[in-house]
Amino acid sequence: MASMARSPRDILLETDAEYQRLAEQHSKYQAELHRISTATYLSSEDLLEEIRLKKLKLHVKDEMELLAARLRSTPPKRMQ
């Protein structure tokens, strides 16, 4: 039975504490953005917060991608 190849993100979510922390942070930013976007009225502070959260979320996503890219570029260890 052939096993499906796992993505670096899946592996990192299971094994890397930093990646897990970043994924959790990304999720929190997403939830806050959802809360803001579903509000019936947005103050100027809400709009500024939305911009700030989008930038933070993007930064976290970039960090997650760097970790995944590092894992992809690391050659697998050979057994002797």
Side-chain angles (χ1 to χ4, degrees):
M1 180 173 178
S3 65
M4 293 178 59
R6 294 174 56 207
S7 76
R9 291 180 193 103
D10 292 338
I11 295 167
L12 287 167
L13 267 175
E14 293 177 7
T15 61
D16 189 277
E18 178 65 9
Y19 193 88
Q20 292 166 358
R21 184 190 68 75
L22 290 168
E24 185 177 319
Q25 194 65 49
H26 187 270
S27 204
K28 286 179 183 177
Y29 292 148
Q30 180 62 39
E32 274 299 301
L33 281 167
H34 179 72
R35 181 193 62 77
I36 290 171
S37 69
T38 57
T40 52
Y41 171 78
L42 294 178
S43 67
S44 57
E45 290 84 15
D46 290 333
L47 294 172
L48 289 173
E49 181 65 4
E50 181 182 32
I51 293 168
R52 186 183 79 82
L53 288 169
K54 284 180 178 180
K55 287 180 181 181
L56 289 170
K57 185 179 162 210
L58 182 59
H59 176 72
V60 167
K61 185 72 170 182
D62 288 345
E63 291 294 317
M64 292 168 69
E65 285 300 317
L66 282 173
L67 288 173
R70 259 189 243 138
L71 182 64
R72 281 190 295 267
S73 68
T74 303
K77 293 181 182 175
R78 294 188 138 188
M79 296 185 65
Q80 294 182 358

